[in-house]
Amino acid sequence: MSKTKIFSYIFGIIAIGLAYYLYNSISTSIQETERIAKLEARIIEQLKMIREAELAYAAVHGQYTSDWEKLTNFLDTGSFYITERTETVITLDYGADSTHVEIDTIGTVPVRDSLFTADKWPKFNLSTLPYVPGVEPPTKFDVWADKIEKSGVKVNAIEVKNPKPVNPERDEESEYNTKKPLRFGSRTSVTTAGNWE
């Protein structure tokens, strides 16, 4: 066998090995990207459910809560009042109008039944609501709720974030909010927007 054929076989084997290595590394990278995207989609859905729960809690109690037990108890046993509003406009003698408003409570509806219907949130599970999906060991979302001062007025603020990002590119120190760990709300402004929106 000539040296040319031997080199051809060796280079052929090396080329096949390199092609397999490149294909495998690209395939692994794509699979990892898809895995991260699926996990982050689940985390975002969980954050949206928590945001809905916190907004309902604040509507009833006048403030957000950072206590998971209070929030889950509220979702499990709390109720919204169903009210009926009636307005009567009375024309006064001098031509101005006066409005008389009556608000009657006509019943209650459980928070859980009104917020987390199966068609809107099919993956809702009260017992796993505080936990970041797909993270081992089980880890709860970080919740901060307090009042902050804005223009001389104390207002409610909330921030809920994932303490263990599944995407290694997400960093708390990033200057871009969209590159920080998944979260909604803010400790410095009055918002409940998520950084994925």
Side-chain angles (χ1 to χ4, degrees), residues 43-62:
I43 292 167
I44 288 169
E45 183 179 31
Q46 196 92 338
L47 283 167
K48 287 178 179 178
M49 287 187 271
I50 294 167
R51 177 171 56 189
E52 189 111 1
E54 284 283 0
L55 289 170
Y57 186 92
V60 171
H61 296 285

Side-chain angles (χ1 to χ4, degrees), residues 7 15 20 32-34 44 46 57 61 63-64 75 79 96 99 102 113 128 133 137-138 143 147 170 173 184:
F7 283 128
Y20 174 77
E32 180 64 9
T33 302
E34 288 173 355
I44 288 169
Q46 196 92 338
Y57 186 92
H61 296 285
Q63 62 186 17
Y64 299 112
L75 294 176
S79 297
T99 305
E102 284 186 30
D113 293 345
T128 61
V143 180
K147 291 192 179 286
R170 292 195 177 276
E173 303 304 318
F184 74 83

Side-chain angles (χ1 to χ4, degrees), residues 57-132:
Y57 186 92
V60 171
H61 296 285
Q63 62 186 17
Y64 299 112
T65 181
S66 57
D67 185 336
W68 281 115
E69 190 174 330
K70 283 183 183 178
L71 186 63
T72 54
N73 285 339
F74 169 72
L75 294 176
D76 195 30
T77 61
S79 297
F80 287 126
Y81 291 105
I82 301 171
T83 58
E84 181 178 68
R85 179 183 167 128
T86 309
E87 289 186 20
T88 308
V89 178
I90 303 166
T91 304
L92 301 174
D93 293 337
Y94 53 89
D97 290 336
S98 174
T99 305
H100 177 72
V101 178
E102 284 186 30
I103 299 175
D104 292 326
T105 303
I106 56 176
T108 60
V109 62
V111 171
R112 193 173 184 173
D113 293 345
S114 62
L115 285 184
F116 297 106
T117 57
D119 58 325
K120 185 176 179 184
W121 301 106
K123 294 182 180 177
F124 176 75
N125 181 345
L126 184 60
S127 63
T128 61
L129 185 67
Y131 296 95
V132 179

Side-chain angles (χ1 to χ4, degrees), residues 171-180:
D171 182 22
E172 191 62 48
E173 303 304 318
S174 175
E175 56 188 75
Y176 300 108
N177 195 34
T178 56
K179 293 292 184 186
K180 290 184 177 186

